[in-house]
Amino acid sequence: DAMVIQNPRYQVTQFGKPVTLSCSQTLNHNVMYWYQQKSSQAPKLLFHYYDKDFNNEADTPDNFQSRRPNTSFCFLDIRSPGLGDAAMYLCATSRDLGLGYEQYFGPGTRLTVT
Amino acid sequence: GENVEQHPSTLSVQEGDSAVIKCTYSDSASNYFPWYKQELGKGPQLIIDIRSNVGEKKDQRIAVTLNKTAKHFSLHITETQPEDSAVYFCAASKGGTSYGKLTFGQGTILTVHP
């Protein structure tokens, strides 16, 4: 009965080699978020989609892109991963935007850059 | 932007004791304060939340208090159990144009010793 699914759970990529992380949801939520969580730190929002509308955080590097081809799926593309991009990447969903809509998190994808 | 400070960074208690984690926020417009529990290898999971029009909320062994004047809120866990061991994150959010964006605290590693 997993609601927010992330694949793969562990991903190893080489420095500079593009990588794509996947998120899917069974909740039919309008909003999907991508967070970066480095070791022993708080999750940091990269961007979110409200339906098909993409909203980038001001400090998200251009190296990070996202696609949402349909309601259920959202992808995080890292065009040229650097060593500093090694982190846990969390996908989350919420039914709508605004005050008090719970965000449901997936288990995360741990990215290693060699 | 919003800044959330969380203390302590680590907390160790004996089973059956109470645990208290405190957070302060900077933006007086923040009006929604969720608490997340993150177990090893999993994404954060909402355990309790409070809105700014409420001073206290309780759910079984977990309670949250909010002091809007002082801009701080706290998580209280009573009768702790080993399965309460996890990383706990507080967060703050405001409605309107901030799209429900969560700003997280730095996290507290709670260890409950049997």
mmCIF file with all atom_site columns, all heavy atoms in Angstrom, chain B residues 34-56:
data_model
loop_
_atom_site.group_PDB
_atom_site.id
_atom_site.type_symbol
_atom_site.label_atom_id
_atom_site.label_alt_id
_atom_site.label_comp_id
_atom_site.label_asym_id
_atom_site.label_entity_id
_atom_site.label_seq_id
_atom_site.pdbx_PDB_ins_code
_atom_site.Cartn_x
_atom_site.Cartn_y
_atom_site.Cartn_z
_atom_site.occupancy
_atom_site.B_iso_or_equiv
_atom_site.pdbx_formal_charge
_atom_site.auth_seq_id
_atom_site.auth_comp_id
_atom_site.auth_asym_id
_atom_site.auth_atom_id
_atom_site.pdbx_PDB_model_num
ATOM 1   N N   . PRO B 1 34 ? 4.310  21.744 11.575 1.00 0.00 ? 34 PRO B N   1
ATOM 2   C CA  . PRO B 1 34 ? 4.251  20.276 11.673 1.00 0.00 ? 34 PRO B CA  1
ATOM 3   C C   . PRO B 1 34 ? 5.532  19.709 12.280 1.00 0.00 ? 34 PRO B C   1
ATOM 4   O O   . PRO B 1 34 ? 6.595  20.336 12.242 1.00 0.00 ? 34 PRO B O   1
ATOM 5   C CB  . PRO B 1 34 ? 4.127  19.853 10.201 1.00 0.00 ? 34 PRO B CB  1
ATOM 6   C CG  . PRO B 1 34 ? 4.846  20.926 9.454  1.00 0.00 ? 34 PRO B CG  1
ATOM 7   C CD  . PRO B 1 34 ? 4.713  22.197 10.253 1.00 0.00 ? 34 PRO B CD  1
ATOM 8   N N   . TRP B 1 35 ? 5.414  18.526 12.810 1.00 0.00 ? 35 TRP B N   1
ATOM 9   C CA  . TRP B 1 35 ? 6.566  17.771 13.303 1.00 0.00 ? 35 TRP B CA  1
ATOM 10  C C   . TRP B 1 35 ? 6.635  16.451 12.531 1.00 0.00 ? 35 TRP B C   1
ATOM 11  O O   . TRP B 1 35 ? 5.627  15.769 12.349 1.00 0.00 ? 35 TRP B O   1
ATOM 12  C CB  . TRP B 1 35 ? 6.428  17.457 14.792 1.00 0.00 ? 35 TRP B CB  1
ATOM 13  C CG  . TRP B 1 35 ? 6.691  18.629 15.675 1.00 0.00 ? 35 TRP B CG  1
ATOM 14  C CD1 . TRP B 1 35 ? 5.791  19.567 16.099 1.00 0.00 ? 35 TRP B CD1 1
ATOM 15  C CD2 . TRP B 1 35 ? 7.949  19.004 16.242 1.00 0.00 ? 35 TRP B CD2 1
ATOM 16  N NE1 . TRP B 1 35 ? 6.401  20.495 16.895 1.00 0.00 ? 35 TRP B NE1 1
ATOM 17  C CE2 . TRP B 1 35 ? 7.729  20.177 17.006 1.00 0.00 ? 35 TRP B CE2 1
ATOM 18  C CE3 . TRP B 1 35 ? 9.232  18.461 16.196 1.00 0.00 ? 35 TRP B CE3 1
ATOM 19  C CZ2 . TRP B 1 35 ? 8.748  20.821 17.706 1.00 0.00 ? 35 TRP B CZ2 1
ATOM 20  C CZ3 . TRP B 1 35 ? 10.246 19.099 16.899 1.00 0.00 ? 35 TRP B CZ3 1
ATOM 21  C CH2 . TRP B 1 35 ? 9.999  20.258 17.641 1.00 0.00 ? 35 TRP B CH2 1
ATOM 22  N N   . TYR B 1 36 ? 7.852  16.118 12.084 1.00 0.00 ? 36 TYR B N   1
ATOM 23  C CA  . TYR B 1 36 ? 8.067  14.902 11.318 1.00 0.00 ? 36 TYR B CA  1
ATOM 24  C C   . TYR B 1 36 ? 9.029  13.988 12.053 1.00 0.00 ? 36 TYR B C   1
ATOM 25  O O   . TYR B 1 36 ? 9.978  14.443 12.697 1.00 0.00 ? 36 TYR B O   1
ATOM 26  C CB  . TYR B 1 36 ? 8.639  15.224 9.933  1.00 0.00 ? 36 TYR B CB  1
ATOM 27  C CG  . TYR B 1 36 ? 7.621  15.780 8.955  1.00 0.00 ? 36 TYR B CG  1
ATOM 28  C CD1 . TYR B 1 36 ? 7.295  17.122 8.945  1.00 0.00 ? 36 TYR B CD1 1
ATOM 29  C CD2 . TYR B 1 36 ? 6.985  14.939 8.050  1.00 0.00 ? 36 TYR B CD2 1
ATOM 30  C CE1 . TYR B 1 36 ? 6.356  17.624 8.054  1.00 0.00 ? 36 TYR B CE1 1
ATOM 31  C CE2 . TYR B 1 36 ? 6.054  15.432 7.148  1.00 0.00 ? 36 TYR B CE2 1
ATOM 32  C CZ  . TYR B 1 36 ? 5.744  16.768 7.165  1.00 0.00 ? 36 TYR B CZ  1
ATOM 33  O OH  . TYR B 1 36 ? 4.815  17.257 6.280  1.00 0.00 ? 36 TYR B OH  1
ATOM 34  N N   . LYS B 1 37 ? 8.788  12.706 11.913 1.00 0.00 ? 37 LYS B N   1
ATOM 35  C CA  . LYS B 1 37 ? 9.670  11.669 12.460 1.00 0.00 ? 37 LYS B CA  1
ATOM 36  C C   . LYS B 1 37 ? 10.299 10.936 11.291 1.00 0.00 ? 37 LYS B C   1
ATOM 37  O O   . LYS B 1 37 ? 9.594  10.505 10.375 1.00 0.00 ? 37 LYS B O   1
ATOM 38  C CB  . LYS B 1 37 ? 8.860  10.693 13.312 1.00 0.00 ? 37 LYS B CB  1
ATOM 39  C CG  . LYS B 1 37 ? 9.638  9.496  13.858 1.00 0.00 ? 37 LYS B CG  1
ATOM 40  C CD  . LYS B 1 37 ? 8.706  8.553  14.615 1.00 0.00 ? 37 LYS B CD  1
ATOM 41  C CE  . LYS B 1 37 ? 9.449  7.367  15.199 1.00 0.00 ? 37 LYS B CE  1
ATOM 42  N NZ  . LYS B 1 37 ? 8.525  6.424  15.893 1.00 0.00 ? 37 LYS B NZ  1
ATOM 43  N N   . GLN B 1 38 ? 11.612 10.814 11.304 1.00 0.00 ? 38 GLN B N   1
ATOM 44  C CA  . GLN B 1 38 ? 12.303 10.117 10.222 1.00 0.00 ? 38 GLN B CA  1
ATOM 45  C C   . GLN B 1 38 ? 13.097 8.961  10.800 1.00 0.00 ? 38 GLN B C   1
ATOM 46  O O   . GLN B 1 38 ? 14.070 9.167  11.534 1.00 0.00 ? 38 GLN B O   1
ATOM 47  C CB  . GLN B 1 38 ? 13.225 11.062 9.437  1.00 0.00 ? 38 GLN B CB  1
ATOM 48  C CG  . GLN B 1 38 ? 13.848 10.410 8.206  1.00 0.00 ? 38 GLN B CG  1
ATOM 49  C CD  . GLN B 1 38 ? 14.613 11.390 7.333  1.00 0.00 ? 38 GLN B CD  1
ATOM 50  O OE1 . GLN B 1 38 ? 15.081 12.418 7.807  1.00 0.00 ? 38 GLN B OE1 1
ATOM 51  N NE2 . GLN B 1 38 ? 14.750 11.069 6.062  1.00 0.00 ? 38 GLN B NE2 1
ATOM 52  N N   . GLU B 1 39 ? 12.686 7.767  10.462 1.00 0.00 ? 39 GLU B N   1
ATOM 53  C CA  . GLU B 1 39 ? 13.413 6.570  10.878 1.00 0.00 ? 39 GLU B CA  1
ATOM 54  C C   . GLU B 1 39 ? 14.486 6.250  9.851  1.00 0.00 ? 39 GLU B C   1
ATOM 55  O O   . GLU B 1 39 ? 14.414 6.696  8.693  1.00 0.00 ? 39 GLU B O   1
ATOM 56  C CB  . GLU B 1 39 ? 12.438 5.409  11.053 1.00 0.00 ? 39 GLU B CB  1
ATOM 57  C CG  . GLU B 1 39 ? 11.435 5.663  12.175 1.00 0.00 ? 39 GLU B CG  1
ATOM 58  C CD  . GLU B 1 39 ? 10.406 4.574  12.318 1.00 0.00 ? 39 GLU B CD  1
ATOM 59  O OE1 . GLU B 1 39 ? 9.937  4.056  11.285 1.00 0.00 ? 39 GLU B OE1 1
ATOM 60  O OE2 . GLU B 1 39 ? 10.078 4.221  13.471 1.00 0.00 ? 39 GLU B OE2 1
ATOM 61  N N   . LEU B 1 40 ? 15.450 5.477  10.266 1.00 0.00 ? 40 LEU B N   1
ATOM 62  C CA  . LEU B 1 40 ? 16.603 5.175  9.422  1.00 0.00 ? 40 LEU B CA  1
ATOM 63  C C   . LEU B 1 40 ? 16.162 4.566  8.094  1.00 0.00 ? 40 LEU B C   1
ATOM 64  O O   . LEU B 1 40 ? 15.396 3.597  8.071  1.00 0.00 ? 40 LEU B O   1
ATOM 65  C CB  . LEU B 1 40 ? 17.539 4.225  10.166 1.00 0.00 ? 40 LEU B CB  1
ATOM 66  C CG  . LEU B 1 40 ? 18.948 4.074  9.601  1.00 0.00 ? 40 LEU B CG  1
ATOM 67  C CD1 . LEU B 1 40 ? 19.696 5.395  9.677  1.00 0.00 ? 40 LEU B CD1 1
ATOM 68  C CD2 . LEU B 1 40 ? 19.704 2.986  10.339 1.00 0.00 ? 40 LEU B CD2 1
ATOM 69  N N   . GLY B 1 41 ? 16.618 5.151  7.002  1.00 0.00 ? 41 GLY B N   1
ATOM 70  C CA  . GLY B 1 41 ? 16.317 4.610  5.685  1.00 0.00 ? 41 GLY B CA  1
ATOM 71  C C   . GLY B 1 41 ? 14.930 4.921  5.166  1.00 0.00 ? 41 GLY B C   1
ATOM 72  O O   . GLY B 1 41 ? 14.510 4.400  4.127  1.00 0.00 ? 41 GLY B O   1
ATOM 73  N N   . LYS B 1 42 ? 14.202 5.786  5.867  1.00 0.00 ? 42 LYS B N   1
ATOM 74  C CA  . LYS B 1 42 ? 12.837 6.121  5.449  1.00 0.00 ? 42 LYS B CA  1
ATOM 75  C C   . LYS B 1 42 ? 12.686 7.624  5.280  1.00 0.00 ? 42 LYS B C   1
ATOM 76  O O   . LYS B 1 42 ? 13.491 8.407  5.775  1.00 0.00 ? 42 LYS B O   1
ATOM 77  C CB  . LYS B 1 42 ? 11.823 5.617  6.478  1.00 0.00 ? 42 LYS B CB  1
ATOM 78  C CG  . LYS B 1 42 ? 11.802 4.098  6.655  1.00 0.00 ? 42 LYS B CG  1
ATOM 79  C CD  . LYS B 1 42 ? 10.731 3.690  7.645  1.00 0.00 ? 42 LYS B CD  1
ATOM 80  C CE  . LYS B 1 42 ? 10.681 2.180  7.818  1.00 0.00 ? 42 LYS B CE  1
ATOM 81  N NZ  . LYS B 1 42 ? 9.627  1.770  8.787  1.00 0.00 ? 42 LYS B NZ  1
ATOM 82  N N   . GLY B 1 43 ? 11.635 8.020  4.592  1.00 0.00 ? 43 GLY B N   1
ATOM 83  C CA  . GLY B 1 43 ? 11.325 9.435  4.485  1.00 0.00 ? 43 GLY B CA  1
ATOM 84  C C   . GLY B 1 43 ? 10.638 9.935  5.739  1.00 0.00 ? 43 GLY B C   1
ATOM 85  O O   . GLY B 1 43 ? 10.121 9.156  6.542  1.00 0.00 ? 43 GLY B O   1
ATOM 86  N N   . PRO B 1 44 ? 10.611 11.244 5.940  1.00 0.00 ? 44 PRO B N   1
ATOM 87  C CA  . PRO B 1 44 ? 9.925  11.817 7.107  1.00 0.00 ? 44 PRO B CA  1
ATOM 88  C C   . PRO B 1 44 ? 8.435  11.507 7.085  1.00 0.00 ? 44 PRO B C   1
ATOM 89  O O   . PRO B 1 44 ? 7.815  11.442 6.022  1.00 0.00 ? 44 PRO B O   1
ATOM 90  C CB  . PRO B 1 44 ? 10.168 13.330 6.950  1.00 0.00 ? 44 PRO B CB  1
ATOM 91  C CG  . PRO B 1 44 ? 11.349 13.441 6.037  1.00 0.00 ? 44 PRO B CG  1
ATOM 92  C CD  . PRO B 1 44 ? 11.266 12.280 5.117  1.00 0.00 ? 44 PRO B CD  1
ATOM 93  N N   . GLN B 1 45 ? 7.881  11.321 8.269  1.00 0.00 ? 45 GLN B N   1
ATOM 94  C CA  . GLN B 1 45 ? 6.460  11.045 8.406  1.00 0.00 ? 45 GLN B CA  1
ATOM 95  C C   . GLN B 1 45 ? 5.859  12.024 9.407  1.00 0.00 ? 45 GLN B C   1
ATOM 96  O O   . GLN B 1 45 ? 6.390  12.198 10.505 1.00 0.00 ? 45 GLN B O   1
ATOM 97  C CB  . GLN B 1 45 ? 6.229  9.603  8.871  1.00 0.00 ? 45 GLN B CB  1
ATOM 98  C CG  . GLN B 1 45 ? 4.769  9.223  8.967  1.00 0.00 ? 45 GLN B CG  1
ATOM 99  C CD  . GLN B 1 45 ? 4.556  7.784  9.393  1.00 0.00 ? 45 GLN B CD  1
ATOM 100 O OE1 . GLN B 1 45 ? 5.485  7.115  9.817  1.00 0.00 ? 45 GLN B OE1 1
ATOM 101 N NE2 . GLN B 1 45 ? 3.341  7.306  9.280  1.00 0.00 ? 45 GLN B NE2 1
ATOM 102 N N   . LEU B 1 46 ? 4.760  12.656 9.010  1.00 0.00 ? 46 LEU B N   1
ATOM 103 C CA  . LEU B 1 46 ? 4.096  13.606 9.895  1.00 0.00 ? 46 LEU B CA  1
ATOM 104 C C   . LEU B 1 46 ? 3.561  12.895 11.132 1.00 0.00 ? 46 LEU B C   1
ATOM 105 O O   . LEU B 1 46 ? 2.892  11.856 11.025 1.00 0.00 ? 46 LEU B O   1
ATOM 106 C CB  . LEU B 1 46 ? 2.937  14.276 9.160  1.00 0.00 ? 46 LEU B CB  1
ATOM 107 C CG  . LEU B 1 46 ? 2.139  15.315 9.952  1.00 0.00 ? 46 LEU B CG  1
ATOM 108 C CD1 . LEU B 1 46 ? 2.962  16.572 10.148 1.00 0.00 ? 46 LEU B CD1 1
ATOM 109 C CD2 . LEU B 1 46 ? 0.830  15.644 9.248  1.00 0.00 ? 46 LEU B CD2 1
ATOM 110 N N   . ILE B 1 47 ? 3.872  13.437 12.325 1.00 0.00 ? 47 ILE B N   1
ATOM 111 C CA  . ILE B 1 47 ? 3.354  12.819 13.544 1.00 0.00 ? 47 ILE B CA  1
ATOM 112 C C   . ILE B 1 47 ? 2.344  13.716 14.262 1.00 0.00 ? 47 ILE B C   1
ATOM 113 O O   . ILE B 1 47 ? 1.437  13.223 14.927 1.00 0.00 ? 47 ILE B O   1
ATOM 114 C CB  . ILE B 1 47 ? 4.491  12.433 14.524 1.00 0.00 ? 47 ILE B CB  1
ATOM 115 C CG1 . ILE B 1 47 ? 5.392  13.632 14.847 1.00 0.00 ? 47 ILE B CG1 1
ATOM 116 C CG2 . ILE B 1 47 ? 5.311  11.293 13.950 1.00 0.00 ? 47 ILE B CG2 1
ATOM 117 C CD1 . ILE B 1 47 ? 6.398  13.345 15.957 1.00 0.00 ? 47 ILE B CD1 1
ATOM 118 N N   . ILE B 1 48 ? 2.496  15.016 14.133 1.00 0.00 ? 48 ILE B N   1
ATOM 119 C CA  . ILE B 1 48 ? 1.554  15.935 14.729 1.00 0.00 ? 48 ILE B CA  1
ATOM 120 C C   . ILE B 1 48 ? 1.791  17.308 14.133 1.00 0.00 ? 48 ILE B C   1
ATOM 121 O O   . ILE B 1 48 ? 2.896  17.607 13.680 1.00 0.00 ? 48 ILE B O   1
ATOM 122 C CB  . ILE B 1 48 ? 1.679  15.961 16.284 1.00 0.00 ? 48 ILE B CB  1
ATOM 123 C CG1 . ILE B 1 48 ? 0.452  16.617 16.933 1.00 0.00 ? 48 ILE B CG1 1
ATOM 124 C CG2 . ILE B 1 48 ? 2.974  16.626 16.713 1.00 0.00 ? 48 ILE B CG2 1
ATOM 125 C CD1 . ILE B 1 48 ? 0.383  16.397 18.454 1.00 0.00 ? 48 ILE B CD1 1
ATOM 126 N N   . ASP B 1 49 ? 0.765  18.130 14.105 1.00 0.00 ? 49 ASP B N   1
ATOM 127 C CA  . ASP B 1 49 ? 0.933  19.489 13.615 1.00 0.00 ? 49 ASP B CA  1
ATOM 128 C C   . ASP B 1 49 ? 0.033  20.420 14.409 1.00 0.00 ? 49 ASP B C   1
ATOM 129 O O   . ASP B 1 49 ? -0.876 19.985 15.110 1.00 0.00 ? 49 ASP B O   1
ATOM 130 C CB  . ASP B 1 49 ? 0.640  19.594 12.112 1.00 0.00 ? 49 ASP B CB  1
ATOM 131 C CG  . ASP B 1 49 ? -0.759 19.094 11.735 1.00 0.00 ? 49 ASP B CG  1
ATOM 132 O OD1 . ASP B 1 49 ? -1.590 18.853 12.639 1.00 0.00 ? 49 ASP B OD1 1
ATOM 133 O OD2 . ASP B 1 49 ? -1.017 18.941 10.525 1.00 0.00 ? 49 ASP B OD2 1
ATOM 134 N N   . ILE B 1 50 ? 0.317  21.713 14.308 1.00 0.00 ? 50 ILE B N   1
ATOM 135 C CA  . ILE B 1 50 ? -0.470 22.700 15.036 1.00 0.00 ? 50 ILE B CA  1
ATOM 136 C C   . ILE B 1 50 ? -0.558 23.956 14.195 1.00 0.00 ? 50 ILE B C   1
ATOM 137 O O   . ILE B 1 50 ? 0.384  24.317 13.484 1.00 0.00 ? 50 ILE B O   1
ATOM 138 C CB  . ILE B 1 50 ? 0.138  22.988 16.435 1.00 0.00 ? 50 ILE B CB  1
ATOM 139 C CG1 . ILE B 1 50 ? -0.825 23.799 17.294 1.00 0.00 ? 50 ILE B CG1 1
ATOM 140 C CG2 . ILE B 1 50 ? 1.501  23.666 16.319 1.00 0.00 ? 50 ILE B CG2 1
ATOM 141 C CD1 . ILE B 1 50 ? -0.412 23.858 18.767 1.00 0.00 ? 50 ILE B CD1 1
ATOM 142 N N   . ARG B 1 51 ? -1.705 24.603 14.267 1.00 0.00 ? 51 ARG B N   1
ATOM 143 C CA  . ARG B 1 51 ? -1.885 25.866 13.561 1.00 0.00 ? 51 ARG B CA  1
ATOM 144 C C   . ARG B 1 51 ? -1.810 27.010 14.558 1.00 0.00 ? 51 ARG B C   1
ATOM 145 O O   . ARG B 1 51 ? -1.987 26.817 15.765 1.00 0.00 ? 51 ARG B O   1
ATOM 146 C CB  . ARG B 1 51 ? -3.217 25.873 12.831 1.00 0.00 ? 51 ARG B CB  1
ATOM 147 C CG  . ARG B 1 51 ? -3.315 24.760 11.814 1.00 0.00 ? 51 ARG B CG  1
ATOM 148 C CD  . ARG B 1 51 ? -4.480 24.932 10.891 1.00 0.00 ? 51 ARG B CD  1
ATOM 149 N NE  . ARG B 1 51 ? -4.578 23.817 9.951  1.00 0.00 ? 51 ARG B NE  1
ATOM 150 C CZ  . ARG B 1 51 ? -5.292 23.867 8.836  1.00 0.00 ? 51 ARG B CZ  1
ATOM 151 N NH1 . ARG B 1 51 ? -5.950 24.961 8.508  1.00 0.00 ? 51 ARG B NH1 1
ATOM 152 N NH2 . ARG B 1 51 ? -5.337 22.823 8.040  1.00 0.00 ? 51 ARG B NH2 1
ATOM 153 N N   . SER B 1 52 ? -1.596 28.199 14.037 1.00 0.00 ? 52 SER B N   1
ATOM 154 C CA  . SER B 1 52 ? -1.282 29.323 14.920 1.00 0.00 ? 52 SER B CA  1
ATOM 155 C C   . SER B 1 52 ? -2.470 29.789 15.758 1.00 0.00 ? 52 SER B C   1
ATOM 156 O O   . SER B 1 52 ? -2.290 30.572 16.681 1.00 0.00 ? 52 SER B O   1
ATOM 157 C CB  . SER B 1 52 ? -0.729 30.497 14.116 1.00 0.00 ? 52 SER B CB  1
ATOM 158 O OG  . SER B 1 52 ? -1.683 30.924 13.167 1.00 0.00 ? 52 SER B OG  1
ATOM 159 N N   . ASN B 1 53 ? -3.666 29.329 15.449 1.00 0.00 ? 53 ASN B N   1
ATOM 160 C CA  . ASN B 1 53 ? -4.815 29.732 16.250 1.00 0.00 ? 53 ASN B CA  1
ATOM 161 C C   . ASN B 1 53 ? -5.045 28.773 17.428 1.00 0.00 ? 53 ASN B C   1
ATOM 162 O O   . ASN B 1 53 ? -6.047 28.889 18.142 1.00 0.00 ? 53 ASN B O   1
ATOM 163 C CB  . ASN B 1 53 ? -6.082 29.807 15.392 1.00 0.00 ? 53 ASN B CB  1
ATOM 164 C CG  . ASN B 1 53 ? -6.392 28.484 14.703 1.00 0.00 ? 53 ASN B CG  1
ATOM 165 O OD1 . ASN B 1 53 ? -5.569 27.578 14.691 1.00 0.00 ? 53 ASN B OD1 1
ATOM 166 N ND2 . ASN B 1 53 ? -7.578 28.386 14.140 1.00 0.00 ? 53 ASN B ND2 1
ATOM 167 N N   . VAL B 1 54 ? -4.103 27.859 17.634 1.00 0.00 ? 54 VAL B N   1
ATOM 168 C CA  . VAL B 1 54 ? -4.214 26.881 18.711 1.00 0.00 ? 54 VAL B CA  1
ATOM 169 C C   . VAL B 1 54 ? -2.938 26.929 19.534 1.00 0.00 ? 54 VAL B C   1
ATOM 170 O O   . VAL B 1 54 ? -1.846 27.059 18.983 1.00 0.00 ? 54 VAL B O   1
ATOM 171 C CB  . VAL B 1 54 ? -4.415 25.456 18.142 1.00 0.00 ? 54 VAL B CB  1
ATOM 172 C CG1 . VAL B 1 54 ? -4.411 24.411 19.248 1.00 0.00 ? 54 VAL B CG1 1
ATOM 173 C CG2 . VAL B 1 54 ? -5.695 25.398 17.332 1.00 0.00 ? 54 VAL B CG2 1
ATOM 174 N N   . GLY B 1 55 ? -3.049 26.826 20.861 1.00 0.00 ? 55 GLY B N   1
ATOM 175 C CA  . GLY B 1 55 ? -1.860 26.892 21.699 1.00 0.00 ? 55 GLY B CA  1
ATOM 176 C C   . GLY B 1 55 ? -1.257 25.540 22.021 1.00 0.00 ? 55 GLY B C   1
ATOM 177 O O   . GLY B 1 55 ? -0.068 25.445 22.293 1.00 0.00 ? 55 GLY B O   1
ATOM 178 N N   . GLU B 1 56 ? -2.106 24.498 21.988 1.00 0.00 ? 56 GLU B N   1
ATOM 179 C CA  . GLU B 1 56 ? -1.615 23.180 22.349 1.00 0.00 ? 56 GLU B CA  1
ATOM 180 C C   . GLU B 1 56 ? -2.462 22.133 21.648 1.00 0.00 ? 56 GLU B C   1
ATOM 181 O O   . GLU B 1 56 ? -3.660 22.315 21.431 1.00 0.00 ? 56 GLU B O   1
ATOM 182 C CB  . GLU B 1 56 ? -1.692 22.982 23.861 1.00 0.00 ? 56 GLU B CB  1
ATOM 183 C CG  . GLU B 1 56 ? -1.141 21.652 24.349 1.00 0.00 ? 56 GLU B CG  1
ATOM 184 C CD  . GLU B 1 56 ? -1.093 21.554 25.875 1.00 0.00 ? 56 GLU B CD  1
ATOM 185 O OE1 . GLU B 1 56 ? -1.464 22.534 26.538 1.00 0.00 ? 56 GLU B OE1 1
ATOM 186 O OE2 . GLU B 1 56 ? -0.694 20.489 26.372 1.00 0.00 ? 56 GLU B OE2 1
#
